[in-house]
Amino acid sequence: MKIIVLNGSPKGDISVTMQYIKYIQKKFPKHELKIINIAQQINKLEKDLNFFGEVIDEINLSDGVIWAFPLYYHLVASQYKRFIELIFERKVTNSFKGKYACALATSIHFQDHTAINYINAICDDLDMNFVDYLSLHMDDLEKESSRKLILAFYENYFNAINNKITTTKNYSKLSHNPIAYKSEANFNKIDTSNKKLTLITDSLENSNLSNMINTFSSFFIDDIEIINLQEIDIKGGCLGCIKCGYNYECVYTGKDEFIAFYNNKIRNSDIIIFCGNIKDRYLSSLWKRFFDRSFFNTHTPSITGKQIGFIISGPLTQIPNLKQIFESYIQWQRANLVDFVTDEYSSINEIDNQLYALASKAINLSLANFIKPSTFLGVGGTKIFRDDIYGKLRFPFLADYKAYKKLGIFDFSHNSLKYKIMSTIFLIMTKFPKIKNEIYSNQIKPGMIQNLKKIAEDPNI
């Protein structure tokens, strides 16, 4: 059978992801796996309609499609995202309908599930038969157990195609019929109290988004800076070259405006409001390029302590995966999520009230220097980076290693002398049955709250 591999790595054939595909090619020689370097050739795909048509022809003639990609900032690379947009914009969705698909993702398992969810949902939107996904660590191919798993996975995938196995639809079609929003707001003006507030958008063409941005900005006594990403010279997406790993110097340094824009506008803002339209199941590929290109900071938080809000036109409440992407991003960055406002409400008054609440909360939380404690999204993500930057990724990410030491991110609990001594004492005590029974029957519950109880009841604290 003929399988088309849509390569989502900007590095083309020399990507980690493609080594897994080449291994599959070697082990299943009776099947033709044709690799098309989508992300690497996105400029040609955009400009050359004949070339784009040739890719679609290959998909038409295929028995299945493998979406193979590395993780780039919780999702696929912006170049790959742009290709997905082109599928819908150029109305070639029928070429994917009914094709058997699977996803192969490579990463260090930071938010890999949100990228997989996205591709699964895109496959469902295209009416493909999504068989399954395989999320692999970058070096899993070196392990015999992982190689066996890979072979079993693709045996199952090819079997699903041969036997036309029924697949599950995991995502419903999106529906969005917003009201035409034009503000009727008449609220008291808000003093920014010298807080630097910046709105960033990728478009002012959508009337609802543009009107929400203008309404939000009108709530403040001072003028609010609105930056349109379309007006920033951003030459291209992240190339995955890791040149930034040594000292945060990007391969694009001096070649476009992005790094200066990020350092001068993003870093110097106290409050940032991201504004955009939902395209497929994310924001636009231009927004994705923004996040990908911010990787010149590598894995080091760069918006710590800032208040972050979102103004979005589109069915955000129908895409919990997208909300989780932003929640994870903000928590890992050690910033604070103020809120989301969309045009999904049924009345203009509701949208006005939500926008005003967002404006008020953003200022108040910034004045209070309030940062919510992280949930699993932030804690788990930070620990993944912490462990790998301390270990196998210390090189090439030397800049991260230095920053993590300075920020105290290398907070390994097993290095605590206090807990080592306590654990040793209690382990010895539990060797004696009577003491063990006393501890587990009568002492654990009061012991868990002992220190907290003192603080809760102390009138001086």
Side-chain angles (χ1 to χ4, degrees), residues 69-284:
F69 55 91
L71 262 287
Y72 274 54
Y73 253 93
H74 305 77
L75 206 80
V76 299
S78 65
Q79 299 94 322
Y80 208 45
K81 170 70 166 68
R82 180 59 188 142
F83 174 72
I84 291 169
E85 291 176 357
L86 291 174
I87 293 169
F88 293 97
E89 289 174 12
R90 294 178 178 174
K91 297 179 171 48
V92 294
T93 55
N94 281 340
S95 297
F96 293 81
K97 187 174 183 178
K99 300 292 182 185
Y100 278 78
C102 71
L104 188 154
T106 57
S107 67
I108 60 170
H109 295 307
F110 173 76
Q111 290 294 124
D112 52 343
H113 68 290
T114 53
I116 289 161
N117 290 344
Y118 170 76
I119 288 295
N120 187 169
I122 292 298
C123 288
D124 285 355
D125 289 342
L126 292 170
D127 290 321
M128 303 181 81
N129 289 300
F130 187 80
V131 177
D132 208 345
Y133 69 86
L134 194 60
S135 182
L136 298 163
H137 194 280
M138 293 170 61
D139 58 7
D140 275 348
L141 195 58
E142 299 175 24
K143 305 170 186 174
E144 183 180 358
S145 59
S146 296
R147 293 195 295 272
K148 288 180 179 178
L149 185 149
I150 292 166
L151 296 180
F153 176 89
Y154 278 96
E155 189 69 54
N156 178 65
Y157 173 61
F158 297 135
N159 178 66
I161 299 174
N162 275 328
N163 295 291
K164 294 182 168 50
I165 299 296
T166 300
T167 58
T168 302
K169 295 294 183 188
N170 294 312
Y171 297 90
S172 300
K173 300 289 186 184
L174 299 177
S175 175
H176 185 54
N177 297 297
I179 62 171
Y181 172 72
K182 191 171 182 181
S183 177
E184 300 170 351
N186 184 22
F187 296 104
N188 293 329
K189 296 283 187 177
I190 300 170
D191 186 351
T192 59
S193 301
N194 295 319
K195 292 292 183 179
K196 173 66 174 172
L197 193 158
T198 304
L199 273 75
I200 306 172
T201 182
D202 63 335
S203 173
L204 292 172
E205 297 166 4
N206 175 291
S207 58
N208 270 9
L209 180 63
S210 178
N211 289 339
M212 286 193 291
I213 290 171
N214 290 333
T215 298
F216 181 88
S217 302
S218 72
F219 292 147
F220 298 95
I221 295 172
D222 302 313
D223 290 337
I224 303 302
E225 185 171 18
I226 301 172
I227 299 173
N228 189 342
L229 291 176
Q230 292 186 18
E231 298 173 358
I232 306 295
D233 179 22
I234 310 175
K235 295 296 186 190
C238 177
L239 301 176
C241 65
I242 315 182
K243 187 177 187 295
C244 53
Y246 182 73
N247 63 355
Y248 304 126
E249 183 178 341
C250 178
V251 69
Y252 286 104
T253 298
K255 298 177 181 177
D256 68 10
E257 298 175 344
F258 182 80
I259 294 171
F261 152 71
Y262 193 93
N263 287 335
N264 295 332
K265 299 298 183 179
I266 302 297
R267 288 182 183 274
N268 289 328
S269 295
D270 300 300
I271 302 164
I272 305 167
I273 308 297
F274 295 128
C275 311
N277 304 296
I278 288 178
K279 296 194 74 170
D280 53 70
R281 290 176 179 266
Y282 189 76
L283 301 182
S284 70

Side-chain angles (χ1 to χ4, degrees), residues 177-184 208 212 341-355:
N177 297 297
I179 62 171
Y181 172 72
K182 191 171 182 181
S183 177
E184 300 170 351
N208 270 9
M212 286 193 291
V341 177
T342 76
D343 58 356
E344 296 173 278
Y345 295 94
S346 59
S347 73
I348 290 173
N349 184 56
E350 285 179 288
I351 298 175
D352 283 342
N353 289 338
Q354 291 292 332
L355 288 169

